[in-house]
């Protein structure tokens, strides 16, 4: 990495450790979410349109894909987003979230793509619908940095440069926290889709990335050490509320954050 980027990475790592009260050094994953276009949205009144505000990645728990010892996630936002792109947590008041977790489901895709269990399929549909309601921020509500938006059950945290959201996949006793189901809202561009020729080559996807408007994030996943008992390790760290903020804001002690925390991306390392 260039020296400035390396300094920023070290700074973020220290703040992620402070926010999660975890001293381990974990990798930072860089992700880009390209924008979607309103003229690609399905017709109003259809089920596809109801679910469209949520990204195609669906809703998941961060212990999925064979990582049952992940206990916390730090999601850092690297740029402002004009519309959409929120991190949505639909599970607070949705019974389907707990039922899916109790039955070993860690991603809505797994339940949607199977044909043998109608109840599992319906629970996944209910959770996706709840997440879409959270993601579908009313156009009349102005987005403010580090704010929480109500959209039915659950909450959505708006992306803002220099902010992060911290949430826990496991509770202090080592049990799976069903309120940590989450997914990303689409990043929405109000510009019309351009053709291949208008984009100057490379196809429409290349054009939309060239035009910008997407979302950049860094993720850090914290895991219980392989040689530690999960419940003992998490219980010994004390209540999650002791983590506090990793910057000049207030931390979150539960999976119902009132605001994202500042992580100090702006400044000398910008």
């Amino acid at each position: 990495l260039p020296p400035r980027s390396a300094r920023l990475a070290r700074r973020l790592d220290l703040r992620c450790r402070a926010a999660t009260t975890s001293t381990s050094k974990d990798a930072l994953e860089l992700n880009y979410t390209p924008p979607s276009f309103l003229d690609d949205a399905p017709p109003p009144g259809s089920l596809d349109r109801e679910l469209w505000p949520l990204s195609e990645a669906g809703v998941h728990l961060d212990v999925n894909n064979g990582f049952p010892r992940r206990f916390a996630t730090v999601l850092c936002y690297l740029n402002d987003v004009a519309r959409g792109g929120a991190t949505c947590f639909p599970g607070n008041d949705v019974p389907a979230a707990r039922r899916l977790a109790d039955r070993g489901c860690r991603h809505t895709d797994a339940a949607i793509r199977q044909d043998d269990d109608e109840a599992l399929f319906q629970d996944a549909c209910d959770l996706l619908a709840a997440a879409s309601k959270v993601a579908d921020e009313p156009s009349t509500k102005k987005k403010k940095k580090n704010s929480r938006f109500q959209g039915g059950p659950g909450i959505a945290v708006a992306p803002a440069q220099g902010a992060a959201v911290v949430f826990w996949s496991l509770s202090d006793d080592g049990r799976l926290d069903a309120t940590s189901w989450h997914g990303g809202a689409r990043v929405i561009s109000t510009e019309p889709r351009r053709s291949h020729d208008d984009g100057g080559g490379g196809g429409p996807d290349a054009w939309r990335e060239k035009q910008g408007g997407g979302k950049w994030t860094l993720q850090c996943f914290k895991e219980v050490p392989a040689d530690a008992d999960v419940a003992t390790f998490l219980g010994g760290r004390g209540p999650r509320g002791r983590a506090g903020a990793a910057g000049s804001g207030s931390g979150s002690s539960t999976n119902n954050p009132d605001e994202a925390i500042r992580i100090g991306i702006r400044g000398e390392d910008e």
Side-chain angles (χ1 to χ4, degrees):
L1 289 175
R4 186 170 63 176
S5 297
R7 290 197 303 271
L8 176 58
R10 288 193 296 270
R11 186 175 180 178
L12 287 174
D13 174 64
L14 291 174
R15 289 174 180 267
C16 288
R17 297 191 204 190
T20 59
T21 64
S22 173
T23 59
S24 63
K25 184 176 182 180
D26 298 276
L28 293 169
E29 298 182 5
L30 180 65
N31 294 288
Y32 175 72
T33 304
S36 297
F37 296 94
L38 286 176
D39 51 5
D40 290 341
S46 65
L47 177 60
D48 287 341
R49 180 57 178 262
E50 180 182 347
L51 300 180
W52 190 79
L54 188 68
S55 74
E56 296 175 355
V59 182
H60 64 279
L61 297 165
D62 277 348
V63 296
N64 70 327
N65 292 329
F67 294 98
R69 301 175 76 84
R70 283 181 179 170
F71 68 90
T73 300
V74 184
L75 181 61
C76 310
Y77 303 109
L78 303 185
N79 66 305
D80 293 325
V81 176
R83 183 173 180 182
T87 305
C88 305
F89 298 85
N92 295 345
D93 303 312
V94 182
R98 169 52 62 188
R99 290 196 297 267
L100 287 168
D102 287 346
R103 297 194 59 186
C105 185
R106 303 293 181 257
H107 199 297
T108 50
D109 282 357
I112 292 294
R113 292 173 180 172
Q114 56 82 39
D115 300 320
D116 300 327
D117 193 322
E118 183 63 27
L120 196 68
F121 176 86
Q122 187 59 53
D123 279 344
C125 290
D126 290 346
L127 190 60
L128 286 170
S132 295
K133 290 178 181 178
V134 176
D136 190 17
E137 176 194 348
S139 59
T140 57
K141 180 179 288 186
K142 292 185 179 294
K143 182 182 295 185
K144 297 180 180 179
K145 289 184 178 180
N146 302 345
S147 61
R148 181 178 72 176
F149 300 116
Q150 296 289 352
I155 58 174
V157 179
Q161 184 182 28
V165 60
V166 182
F167 57 94
W168 280 259
S169 298
L170 302 178
S171 59
D172 290 336
D173 59 5
R175 294 189 301 171
L176 187 63
D177 191 336
T179 65
S180 66
W181 282 98
H182 63 283
R186 288 181 187 268
V187 177
I188 300 175
S189 172
T190 56
E191 296 294 325
R193 171 184 283 281
R194 302 290 182 88
S195 67
H196 175 90
D197 292 337
D198 289 337
D205 290 335
W207 178 87
R208 70 173 69 184
E209 292 197 21
K210 179 181 177 182
Q211 294 299 311
K215 179 178 71 172
W216 288 94
T217 58
L218 277 173
Q219 290 187 101
C220 181
F221 300 107
K222 292 294 182 178
E223 296 190 48
V224 176
D227 59 352
D229 176 75
V230 174
T232 302
F233 176 84
L234 295 177
R237 293 167 56 253
R240 290 177 291 187
R242 295 180 186 173
S248 59
S250 60
S252 169
S253 61
T254 71
N255 279 336
N256 294 297
D258 285 323
E259 58 179 24
I261 63 170
R262 299 297 301 177
I263 57 173
I265 289 177
R266 292 184 175 132
E268 63 182 25
D269 293 325
E270 189 173 14

